[in-house]
Amino acid sequence: MSSASTAPADKVAAKAPAAELAATGAGVRAVRRRRLLVLAARLAVAVLVVGGWQLVTTLGWLDPFFFGQPSGIAGRLVDYFSQGDQATEFGSYWVQIETTLREALFGFVLGSVTGIVLGVALGQNRFLADVFGPYIKVVNAIPRIVLGSIFVVAFGIGQTPKVLLAAVLVFFVVFFNAFQGVREVDRNILANARVLGASPLQVVRHVVVPSALTWIIASLHTAFGFAIVGALVGEVLGAQSGLGLVIKTAQNSFDPNGVFATMFVIAIIALTAEWLITKLERRLLSWRPPAPSEAAAL
């Protein structure tokens, strides 16, 4: 009697894993199809834009002297990367990339660290936030190009003004996100940690920073782009090398292909940095449950 009653249950239990595997396989295939569709759509957009640009400039609807031409940009890129020290008036094109990348990276690190430290400190201390808040808003309201000019006058045309300008651009993005992230920390969790005897430093390390990490990492995606902009603007204002100087020289020579070619290289650098920051985000926030949009994409 007992064996007859358990047989249907055993069959259902045996079918359950098979059904789960089938559902998982269907989900994987759906995700793969969606990725291929997105990739195909991206390629189609690129072909449409670049092909259309080449077509209208070839037909003479747009003057390539002013608007450049994709084939000319490709040729300029080949020249930049194949002519060694003769590629630009300031030496190898690789040296220009290295200069801008180094300035942007130093500015990114400096601005991010100071933004996180001050954002966490002022986010936790309402008195300090009330004291320094107006000053931070005043400095944030100053046009960055003015700060760049001041840095060039004060520190010359070396690497320092570019790093400082990049750091200023990064600082405010990271600072406001870190500040808001700290303000959004669950007060009940903070109270529980203090009741359990956690010191102020332990509260910051184990509760505040992990809770605000989502806000901070989200700001870094935008911040590196600002770091590159700061380095480029600093180089346009005054420099001895760098991609900003290459763009300025190409502009003065009426060479739009050179401008677009360097813009293309900058875009590749920004996309690579974005990919690295995304990897860092997934590693640092691996403990976090996926957001509804992320879970739907899985």
Side-chain angles (χ1 to χ4, degrees):
M1 181 67 182
S2 61
S3 61
S5 62
T6 56
D10 293 341
K11 290 181 180 178
V12 172
K15 289 180 179 178
E20 291 178 1
L21 287 175
T24 304
V28 170
R29 286 193 295 274
V31 170
R32 193 174 299 164
R33 277 198 303 272
R34 185 182 180 281
R35 287 177 179 170
L36 289 175
L37 183 62
V38 170
L39 180 61
R42 288 175 178 171
L43 289 175
V45 171
V47 169
L48 182 65
V49 172
V50 176
W53 186 1
Q54 179 70 33
L55 180 65
V56 296
T57 50
T58 301
L59 294 176
W61 297 349
L62 284 179
D63 191 342
F65 180 80
F66 296 109
F67 297 98
Q69 197 170 37
S71 57
I73 296 170
R76 185 69 71 239
L77 282 172
V78 172
D79 293 341
Y80 280 153
F81 288 104
S82 63
Q83 293 185 352
D85 293 340
Q86 306 301 319
T88 72
E89 300 175 23
F90 324 103
S92 165
Y93 197 70
W94 288 108
V95 172
Q96 315 311 314
I97 295 176
E98 180 189 349
T99 301
T100 301
L101 201 55
R102 183 174 60 249
E103 294 165 352
L105 193 58
F106 286 169
F108 175 74
V109 172
L110 180 61
S112 298
V113 171
T114 53
I116 292 172
V117 171
L118 290 180
V120 171
L122 269 62
Q124 280 199 297
N125 193 314
R126 187 171 294 277
F127 176 76
L128 290 179
D130 291 339
V131 171
F132 289 102
Y135 296 107
I136 291 175
K137 291 176 182 176
V138 167
V139 176
N140 186 37
I142 297 175
R144 306 297 184 263
I145 190 73
V146 176
L147 288 176
S149 300
I150 292 173
F151 291 151
V152 170
V153 171
F155 300 103
I157 59 173
Q159 181 176 277
T160 304
K162 291 81 175 176
V163 172
L164 290 177
L165 185 56
V168 169
L169 289 176
V170 170
F171 169 79
F172 289 103
V173 176
V174 177
F175 168 79
F176 286 119
N177 275 272
F179 180 82
Q180 190 62 35
V182 172
R183 287 295 177 90
E184 296 289 336
V185 175
D186 192 327
R187 299 299 161 188
N188 292 325
I189 298 178
L190 284 175
N192 290 338
R194 287 169 181 145
V195 168
L196 291 173
S199 65
L201 185 59
Q202 289 174 324
V203 170
V204 171
R205 181 181 174 186
H206 297 293
V207 179
V208 174
V209 171
S211 298
L213 205 55
T214 303
W215 288 76
I216 295 170
I217 294 292
S219 70
L220 298 184
H221 288 280
T222 309
F224 192 80
F226 279 108
I228 292 178
V229 171
L232 290 173
V233 170
E235 289 168 355
V236 169
L237 291 174
Q240 296 174 322
S241 62
L243 293 177
L245 187 59
V246 173
I247 290 176
K248 184 179 178 181
T249 304
Q251 173 202 334
N252 293 337
S253 305
F254 296 98
D255 180 17
N257 290 330
V259 175
F260 282 118
T262 303
M263 288 172 61
F264 178 78
V265 171
I266 293 169
I268 296 297
I269 293 173
L271 287 176
T272 304
E274 168 69 18
W275 178 76
L276 291 174
I277 292 173
T278 302
K279 291 288 183 185
L280 176 67
E281 178 181 20
R282 289 177 180 171
R283 185 175 182 82
L284 292 178
L285 300 179
S286 58
W287 52 270
R288 185 195 62 173
S293 58
E294 295 171 337
L298 293 176

